[in-house]
Amino acid sequence: MEPIRKFNRFELKYLLTMEQTREFKQQLEAYMFPDQYAWNSGDYVISSLYYDSPDLQCYWEKIDGLKFRKKLRVRIYETEESITEDSIVFVEIKQRYDKTIQKRRIAIPYRDAMALCDEHRLPDEYDERDRPVMEEVLGMIEERNLQPTLITSYFRHAYTGTEFDNGLRVTFDSNIRYRVNDLDLASKQLGRYIVSPDRVILEIKVNERVPYWLTELIAQNNYRLIRISKYCTGLDVASEFPQRIEVY
């Protein structure tokens, strides 16, 4: 599958109970398709290695609410097979400009991602179309002195929009954990919970606008928007000072 190298979108987040999650999934099935890349259970596991500066510049940009901010991560969509140097991962620059999320990413083997992000060099072989993103990654690492900081992992249950709602994705993230030690994506070490294990983060992702039927469902269920970053909240929990989740 040809990787998408860049895209813009909007994201809305909500914090649900397990019962709310079960009910909302049933409601969505009338409007959306299950993610075709999910496991037989309907879920899959995402693990992400985040980079930050020694003074946590990316963290503080989020906490301070800067309208323009960006961060670097290496993400893998896990399978039942063990992660190896040949496993394909995504190196992503996730950038926010006001309310718009912008992503630039490349799909490369894990060994090449580590050569790029940890050894600060281009891989020996790569798709020339990936070079602009690789050079941006290297520039960001040099400018901010980025280093591996935290890994998050969680189960995701996702739905995609029909042809009438192109670009729409709704995801449910559960069993959300972090670790600040053993920062190797291939490790199976379980970290601590970022949010309570009986809570699920619902995310609505759209290219332009939320469909009317979905805004009606959100209103009927009385869900309230929250502002939460898995990366920032993981660092807060690691420091024993849980970040306050902002509810709208």
Side-chain angles (χ1 to χ4, degrees):
M1 184 178 63
E2 183 70 15
I4 300 174
R5 288 176 169 80
K6 59 183 179 179
F7 56 89
N8 297 347
R9 70 183 180 198
F10 300 92
E11 295 181 354
L12 303 173
K13 298 180 181 180
Y14 306 84
L15 192 65
L16 308 186
T17 65
M18 290 295 184
E19 182 59 31
Q20 287 174 319
T21 298
R22 285 190 289 269
E23 293 174 353
F24 196 51
K25 285 179 180 178
Q26 292 176 353
Q27 294 171 339
L28 286 179
E29 287 172 358
Y31 300 93
M32 303 185 72
F33 297 123
D35 191 316
Q36 61 177 319
Y37 299 109
W39 301 345
N40 291 336
S41 65
D43 299 321
Y44 52 93
V45 173
I46 298 176
S47 293
S48 301
L49 169 59
Y50 287 87
Y51 287 74
D52 209 336
S53 62
D55 60 355
L56 302 179
Q57 182 178 353
C58 299
Y59 169 88
W60 286 111
E61 286 179 351
K62 165 65 176 178
I63 297 301
D64 293 339
L66 268 63
K67 288 191 175 182
F68 177 82
R69 57 184 185 267
K70 60 183 180 179
K71 57 190 173 185
L72 172 67
R73 68 188 180 197
V74 178
R75 166 167 289 188
I76 186 165
Y77 296 82
E78 297 196 35
T79 67
E80 295 179 353
E81 299 178 357
S82 298
I83 299 172
T84 69
E85 290 187 341
D86 295 318
S87 298
I88 297 300
V89 301
F90 291 92
V91 179
E92 298 182 342
I93 295 175
K94 184 176 182 180
Q95 177 175 296
R96 175 181 286 271
Y97 183 74
D98 201 2
K99 296 182 180 180
T100 303
I101 302 296
Q102 302 172 327
K103 280 189 182 180
R104 295 176 291 283
R105 70 182 186 182
I106 54 176
I108 57 178
Y110 186 35
R111 73 161 68 84
D112 291 343
M114 294 299 96
L116 182 68
C117 297
D118 290 353
E119 300 173 19
H120 310 163
R121 62 176 178 84
L122 294 176
D124 296 331
E125 297 181 5
Y126 56 88
D127 189 322
E128 192 62 33
R129 291 173 295 177
D130 291 336
R131 188 180 182 96
V133 176
M134 289 185 177
E135 291 181 343
E136 183 179 4
V137 167
L138 290 177
M140 189 175 171
I141 290 172
E142 180 178 355
E143 176 187 357
R144 301 189 176 202
N145 189 22
L146 298 182
Q147 52 196 255
T149 304
L150 178 140
I151 285 180
T152 63
S153 63
Y154 46 88
F155 285 86
R156 170 163 286 180
H157 195 104
Y159 295 87
T160 58
T162 66
E163 60 183 306
F164 303 106
D165 296 313
N166 188 35
L168 172 65
R169 279 179 61 82
V170 176
T171 62
F172 299 85
D173 295 341
S174 60
N175 196 28
I176 308 168
R177 298 173 180 264
Y178 79 93
R179 63 179 187 267
V180 292
N181 299 310
D182 190 17
L183 297 180
D184 179 358
L185 287 175
S187 172
K188 295 300 182 180
Q189 176 184 334
L190 289 178
R192 296 174 61 191
Y193 286 108
I194 290 177
V195 297
S196 175
D198 63 352
R199 292 293 184 267
V200 175
I201 295 179
L202 161 67
E203 291 190 39
I204 297 173
K205 311 162 195 283
V206 292
N207 292 343
E208 295 180 0
R209 61 178 179 83
V210 180
Y212 176 75
W213 63 264
L214 186 50
T215 60
E216 285 292 293
L217 282 182
I218 294 294
Q220 291 170 15
N221 288 302
N222 197 30
Y223 298 157
R224 300 179 65 186
L225 275 171
I226 62 169
R227 181 180 296 169
I228 184 173
S229 160
K230 296 183 182 75
Y231 168 66
C232 292
T233 307
L235 283 182
D236 284 329
V237 175
S239 302
E240 304 297 344
F241 295 106
Q243 178 186 350
R244 179 171 58 88
I245 298 174
E246 297 183 37
V247 181
Y248 296 87

